[in-house]
Amino acid sequence: MKPLHAFSIAFLLPMTVLTVVGIAAATAIPKGTDREVRFDPSPVALPATDDDDDDEHAKDKDGLHHHMEALQSGMKEMRRMLGKPDQKDALIALTTRLAASAQACIGKLPEQEAPLADAVAQAEWRIGYQRRMVEVLDTLLQLELATYKDDVDATKALYKKLGEQKQSGHDAYQAE
């Protein structure tokens, strides 16, 4: 037996058989058997920064600022995922975490530039803020559903709507 024949029988034939078996196994997996994404109600974790030493910020990890920062960083991350089919599961998981942060923001009020003396004006201000956060939550839930349906145009439109809601909310409620 020639050395080339011995080499091909000993090494190349088993590799060819393994490759064919691997391709057959990979194509036999039924569609729609992706790993299930479980709901994670925890907000998006923020990276540690130098200004975390601030006593008020360090004490209040569950405060409004923390959740708003989670929404901000999540939207930046989301922008990179839009329109990429291989990022669908990650986008759904991110959207559920952002929805949990938005839901937590509903009960936490931002600081006012000047406290309102009138009880009716104070109630209007509080209710207006909470209604805006409910709209953000609803938009995130719609975005999650559009992602499940693989509707790329709708996810991009809803992402743009989130950006508009963020801008108008900051204009109305963010203290200068």
Side-chain angles (χ1 to χ4, degrees):
M1 182 178 277
K2 294 183 178 182
L4 183 59
H5 291 110
F7 174 77
S8 64
I9 291 172
F11 293 104
L12 296 180
L13 184 62
M15 295 305 286
T16 306
V17 171
L18 287 176
T19 303
V20 170
V21 170
I23 291 171
T27 57
I29 298 172
K31 293 193 182 275
T33 57
D34 294 337
R35 193 175 72 173
E36 180 181 332
V37 178
R38 297 176 191 248
F39 178 71
D40 180 12
S42 63
V44 176
L46 296 174
T49 59
D50 294 336
D51 61 356
D52 281 348
D53 296 335
D54 183 23
D55 289 338
E56 182 179 326
H57 184 64
K59 289 179 189 174
D60 193 17
K61 290 291 186 188
D62 195 38
L64 179 65
H65 180 75
H66 175 74
H67 291 293
M68 289 294 185
E69 288 292 321
L71 287 168
Q72 175 83 12
S73 65
M75 283 190 65
K76 287 179 183 176
E77 187 178 346
M78 185 182 291
R79 181 177 55 230
R80 292 185 291 266
M81 294 179 182
L82 291 176
K84 297 181 181 175
D86 60 323
Q87 296 284 319
K88 178 180 177 179
D89 291 339
L91 181 58
I92 290 170
L94 175 63
T95 307
T96 58
R97 289 194 314 267
L98 293 180
S101 286
Q103 190 172 10
C105 290
I106 293 171
K108 301 176 185 317
L109 298 176
E111 292 182 28
Q112 294 178 336
E113 290 181 27
L116 302 172
D118 183 22
V120 173
Q122 179 69 27
E124 286 176 342
W125 183 87
R126 177 186 54 82
I127 291 169
Y129 165 77
Q130 290 175 325
R131 290 178 72 191
R132 283 179 185 253
M133 289 309 304
V134 168
E135 288 175 9
V136 169
L137 176 61
D138 183 54
T139 303
L140 284 165
L141 294 173
Q142 289 177 40
L143 196 146
E144 180 182 355
L145 187 58
T147 304
Y148 272 112
K149 293 179 178 180
D150 295 322
D151 190 348
V152 176
D153 294 334
T155 56
K156 288 181 179 180
L158 289 164
Y159 177 80
K160 184 178 178 182
K161 183 178 177 182
L162 275 175
E164 293 167 357
Q165 289 172 337
K166 172 189 153 197
Q167 187 61 43
S168 69
H170 284 183
D171 291 347
Y173 292 97
Q174 192 172 36
E176 299 296 326

